[in-house]
Amino acid sequence: MDDDGLHYVQYHSSKESTYLAAIRQLISNDLSEPYSIYVYRYFLYQWGDLCFLALDKEENMLGVVISKLEPHRGGPMRGYIAMLAVKQQHRGKGIATKLVRMALDIMIERDAEEIALETEVTNTAAMKLYERLGFLRSKRLHRYYLNGNSAYRFVLFVKESALTSRLGYEDDEGEGHPSQPEPPPSA
């Protein structure tokens, strides 16, 4: 706990009645996408231990990150940051950075090879945060959100194998360098 009473906790299903309404309220105030209760439950029931909350000394929620971790298309373990929100009046205090780092740490500990997310192209504060943490913009997704805004997909390559396999640089032994083409047969 810091001097202001700010502390961070891992979500636990035993506290759903306390936290879920506050999570929904905070995210609906900050994010443009309207999520149903089922979306929150999808993440919280399966990956609640990858979700973290920032609370003040009165246990009011100031920030939340909701994440998941699973194999991506039968390939690498991919972490995903689905939602991040911090109350407007508490931004710029490092809360979002701390929440994201907590989620990243546990996903990396559980063998995530890469971690992905999307954010609106107009959300420059979020883009700067993710870039500071080592995420790279991988693509622009036109009209991705229901409000018509486009998004950038960001990816953090945790293990070299995730990056090299994406770029086609893995040889038969899994070494991360470009494969040399076979020389033409001699005549």
Side-chain angles (χ1 to χ4, degrees):
M1 197 175 297
D2 70 10
D3 295 338
D4 296 331
L6 178 64
H7 59 284
Y8 298 85
V9 298
Q10 190 173 40
Y11 176 85
H12 193 274
S13 59
S14 66
K15 297 273 195 166
E16 179 180 342
S17 62
T18 304
Y19 293 143
L20 187 55
I23 290 170
R24 290 184 72 195
Q25 183 64 45
L26 181 59
I27 290 172
S28 68
N29 287 345
D30 281 3
L31 301 184
S32 61
E33 208 70 357
Y35 296 109
S36 77
I37 188 71
Y38 303 108
V39 173
Y40 294 100
R41 287 187 172 143
Y42 167 76
F43 286 100
L44 295 173
Y45 285 4
Q46 296 182 78
W47 303 283
D49 58 335
L50 299 177
C51 303
F52 295 91
L53 315 168
L55 307 171
D56 67 13
K57 61 186 169 198
E58 287 89 29
E59 299 295 306
N60 297 309
M61 192 172 302
L62 306 181
V64 62
V65 63
I66 296 178
S67 310
K68 72 175 186 170
L69 177 65
E70 62 185 355
H72 181 65
R73 298 182 182 169
M77 287 297 285
R78 176 185 260 189
Y80 180 71
I81 297 175
M83 299 170 221
L84 172 67
V86 175
K87 280 190 175 180
Q88 179 75 37
Q89 64 270 34
H90 295 281
R91 292 183 187 163
K93 299 177 182 179
I95 294 171
T97 301
K98 174 76 172 171
L99 289 167
V100 171
R101 283 188 172 153
M102 291 173 79
L104 294 177
D105 287 348
I106 198 164
M107 287 188 270
I108 292 167
E109 182 181 300
R110 294 182 183 174
D111 291 327
E113 293 184 37
E114 61 188 36
I115 300 166
L117 61 93
E118 294 85 26
T119 190
E120 288 190 50
V121 297
T122 57
N123 192 343
T124 55
M127 289 188 286
K128 287 177 183 177
L129 164 70
Y130 296 126
E131 287 170 344
R132 267 195 328 268
L133 292 172
F135 283 83
L136 303 172
R137 290 184 202 184
S138 71
K139 74 168 72 164
R140 186 178 175 124
L141 306 164
H142 294 281
R143 300 184 57 82
Y144 181 77
Y145 293 103
L146 291 175
N147 66 5
N149 283 352
S150 296
Y152 284 116
R153 173 158 302 134
F154 282 79
V155 179
L156 175 67
F157 295 102
V158 177
K159 297 183 180 177
E160 186 177 340
S161 60
L163 176 59
T164 56
S165 67
R166 293 265 184 212
L167 299 175
Y169 289 133
E170 221 168 28
D171 66 15
D172 292 337
E173 283 78 43
E175 297 296 323
H177 58 271
S179 300
Q180 296 298 317
E182 292 290 319
S186 304

